[in-house]
Amino acid sequence: MKKLQLIKTADGSNSLFNAEINENYHSSFGAIQESKHIFIEAGLNYIKKLEVSILEIGLGTGLNALLAIDWATKNKTLVHYSGIEAFPVSHEIISQLNYSEKLGLERNLLEKIHAENGNRITINPFCTFEVQHKTIQEVRLPANQFDVVFFDAFSPEVQPEMWEENIFKKIAAAMKTGGVLTTYSCKGIVKRALLSAGFSIEKLSGPPGKREFLRATKT
């Protein structure tokens, strides 16, 4: 059995199932639907600026990055996107994902962003992008840089080291005051770690199949 298996979610968009840890990359109710709800609507749309810096923890399939690029282009807002991904998905798998088709974006855009590692590239006049194939523990983050953080690691049950207070403190130091972090998890250990790291938190209504999720603000 291959570790990563392509699956189709309820909104017609693809996702991946990681057989090694028994987890999907996205909700089976809809990958695009879930990502738009949690990361774009509650995160990117919440920050009212003409220029936005985004940090994603767990680039994964690249869906959140594609949605942010699409958002930047449609809203004519400058977006500087930085991703961190310790376990990049292979080109073979990426080429099978249907996000560009579903979002009406250029066919090779997903492959283009996954081909990079450590270099900032210009996607279009409204968006720059870079990804580092390292762990969050290895990466040196600039201070007071990011307006929005998409925290999209695997669940605390399978990646507990990603959800610890020291990780959120490191992220907070890299965020601007008033910046927001959104994540699908609403578990008690996550809320406690965010609060201990100096964030204020709020529970928001989740997308189909999920009751609620978290938005944390650096105060």
Side-chain angles (χ1 to χ4, degrees):
M1 178 185 290
K2 292 182 180 180
K3 185 177 77 170
L4 294 183
Q5 301 167 19
L6 190 74
I7 62 172
K8 180 164 283 190
T9 66
D11 67 359
S13 57
N14 296 145
S15 186
L16 300 175
F17 173 70
N18 188 319
E20 186 175 319
I21 59 176
N22 195 36
E23 283 209 354
N24 289 337
Y25 275 61
H26 306 97
S27 167
S28 61
F29 286 83
I32 288 177
Q33 178 178 253
E34 177 191 44
S35 290
K36 278 186 174 179
H37 188 103
I38 294 174
F39 299 110
I40 304 302
E41 294 173 12
L44 195 47
N45 272 340
Y46 186 75
I47 297 293
K48 308 297 183 184
K49 292 187 174 183
L50 295 177
E51 187 169 357
V52 183
S53 290
I54 301 172
L55 172 66
E56 180 173 17
I57 310 299
L59 184 73
T61 63
L63 174 55
N64 294 337
L66 279 193
L67 289 171
I69 292 167
D70 188 42
W71 182 94
T73 306
K74 288 177 177 176
N75 288 277
K76 294 181 170 53
T77 299
L78 292 175
V79 164
H80 305 291
Y81 203 98
S82 300
I84 296 172
E85 177 54 64
F87 307 102
V89 179
S90 71
H91 175 76
E92 178 188 4
I93 294 290
I94 291 300
S95 66
Q96 299 177 62
L97 297 172
N98 65 353
Y99 305 142
S100 294
E101 173 191 342
K102 289 289 182 181
L103 296 171
L105 301 174
E106 62 178 280
R107 187 179 183 88
N108 69 341
L109 183 55
L110 195 61
E111 288 90 341
K112 184 177 181 179
I113 65 175
H114 279 279
E116 296 299 324
N117 179 17
N119 300 310
R120 180 163 293 278
I121 60 173
T122 298
I123 301 295
N124 62 37
F126 300 104
C127 192
T128 67
F129 174 88
E130 71 169 336
V131 62
Q132 295 186 66
H133 294 163
K134 298 179 179 180
T135 67
I136 180 62
Q137 291 86 354
E138 294 171 325
V139 170
R140 294 186 65 180
L141 295 175
N144 304 309
Q145 169 127 351
F146 299 104
D147 302 288
V148 180
V149 175
F150 298 162
F151 195 89
D152 203 13
F154 286 117
S155 72
E157 288 81 8
V158 300
Q159 274 193 320
E161 72 280 2
M162 294 293 295
W163 302 83
E164 295 176 351
E165 178 185 336
N166 66 306
I167 297 297
F168 289 122
K169 282 184 174 179
K170 181 175 183 175
I171 293 169
M175 295 172 66
K176 298 174 186 176
T177 299
V180 297
L181 175 154
T182 57
T183 184
Y184 63 87
S185 182
C186 211
K187 292 186 177 296
I189 58 169
V190 177
K191 290 185 281 189
R192 289 190 291 274
L194 285 165
L195 289 170
S196 296
F199 289 94
S200 62
I201 61 174
E202 54 187 320
K203 292 188 290 187
L204 303 175
S205 296
K210 186 164 187 60
R211 190 162 64 90
E212 54 193 14
F213 68 101
L214 288 178
R215 180 167 61 207
T217 303
K218 179 181 176 178
T219 54

